[in-house]
Amino acid sequence: MNIDIPMPTESEKQAAITQIVEKGYKNRKTMLTLFIEMKETFGLRTLFFGVGDCIYLAVIIMLVVYAFLFAVGKTVLFTCIFTASPLLYLTAWLLTVRKEYYSQTLELQNVCKYTPVHITALRMLLFSLLSMVADIPVAAVSSYYMKGTFWNLLLLSFCSLFLYAVLQLLSLLIIPARIAAVVLPFAWTVICLLPVAITEIQWEMILQSIRLPVLLSFLPILIAMYWFLLNFYIRKGNAYAQRA
């Protein structure tokens, strides 16, 4: 007697495995617990092992770009600050991911306890803090030209930084990192500079007219969104491990 037993397809097998893993293992990590775990496991210096040159290069790129903007963009300084504020955050992330991709370090991380998603998320958090520190002297130098608008420039740069960081995380949750790395910086630059090309003075005046209380209101919202998305990103680590 012949019994024809239907075998599941490859996609059905993968779906079943994913379902079993998700039910059997609940990822309860948060950015805070991840930070503590990784700090106690191998320290923060090891987190950047082999990519220190990428961070130094990102700082140099930021200094060169800002020097150029201070030299030629004094009439649209608020627009320059708003556009370039995420530069250190962006270049540090791009250079580290690119180096690890070509050195095949990402493949090794995929089989470790801490996946590329965990490492990328924690690095992005630290890059954002580094960018905030870098924005302080930039705002101080900029306020010299604008005569006493330090806090407006600083908070505007912070809002720009975390707005970009939120958009970056959203893009990483939707499309692969290699596509987001190209599309988002290009789209950000075009969207920020297009109003200047069309109506230079009006757009600059709009940014200058944003009051301090408005910036103080938006900044905590953007930071909260960034923190929420970072936590969501690491909790979905298995699903996005190939996108880091």
Side-chain angles (χ1 to χ4, degrees), residues 54-104:
C54 298
I55 300 173
Y56 293 137
L57 182 58
V59 172
I60 293 173
I61 292 173
M62 182 199 72
L63 292 174
V64 170
V65 170
Y66 272 119
F68 174 78
L69 294 177
F70 288 145
V72 302
K74 294 179 183 178
T75 59
V76 288
L77 198 54
F78 273 74
T79 303
C80 292
I81 294 296
F82 184 82
T83 305
S85 179
L87 182 63
L88 178 58
Y89 177 87
L90 163 66
T91 52
W93 176 73
L94 282 179
L95 291 171
T96 53
V97 171
R98 182 181 182 278
K99 182 174 182 178
E100 290 188 332
Y101 175 79
Y102 283 105
S103 63
Q104 297 183 339

Side-chain angles (χ1 to χ4, degrees), residues 192-203:
C192 290
L193 296 183
L194 187 60
V196 180
I198 298 174
T199 56
E200 175 180 323
I201 303 301
Q202 289 87 338
W203 177 244

Side-chain angles (χ1 to χ4, degrees), residues 41-203:
T41 301
F42 48 71
L44 295 182
R45 290 186 62 182
T46 308
L47 183 67
F48 297 98
F49 178 78
V51 295
D53 55 337
C54 298
I55 300 173
Y56 293 137
L57 182 58
V59 172
I60 293 173
I61 292 173
M62 182 199 72
L63 292 174
V64 170
V65 170
Y66 272 119
F68 174 78
L69 294 177
F70 288 145
V72 302
K74 294 179 183 178
T75 59
V76 288
L77 198 54
F78 273 74
T79 303
C80 292
I81 294 296
F82 184 82
T83 305
S85 179
L87 182 63
L88 178 58
Y89 177 87
L90 163 66
T91 52
W93 176 73
L94 282 179
L95 291 171
T96 53
V97 171
R98 182 181 182 278
K99 182 174 182 178
E100 290 188 332
Y101 175 79
Y102 283 105
S103 63
Q104 297 183 339
T105 309
L106 290 177
E107 296 180 3
L108 179 63
Q109 293 173 5
N110 275 325
V111 297
C112 296
K113 176 182 178 181
Y114 299 108
T115 68
V117 165
H118 298 131
I119 295 174
T120 297
L122 190 52
R123 281 178 179 172
M124 285 195 294
L125 178 62
L126 297 176
F127 288 156
S128 66
L129 297 177
L130 178 62
S131 297
M132 291 180 72
V133 173
D135 282 340
I136 296 174
V138 170
V141 174
S142 303
S143 64
Y144 172 79
Y145 295 107
M146 303 302 295
K147 297 181 180 179
T149 57
F150 170 77
W151 289 110
N152 290 72
L153 283 164
L154 182 63
L155 290 176
L156 182 68
S157 64
F158 285 172
C159 287
S160 171
L161 167 65
F162 284 103
L163 176 60
Y164 183 90
V166 167
L167 293 175
Q168 183 189 52
L169 279 169
L170 288 173
S171 66
L172 289 176
L173 293 171
I174 298 172
I175 58 179
R178 61 183 179 274
I179 299 177
V182 176
V183 173
L184 186 58
F186 177 78
W188 175 264
T189 304
V190 171
I191 292 172
C192 290
L193 296 183
L194 187 60
V196 180
I198 298 174
T199 56
E200 175 180 323
I201 303 301
Q202 289 87 338
W203 177 244

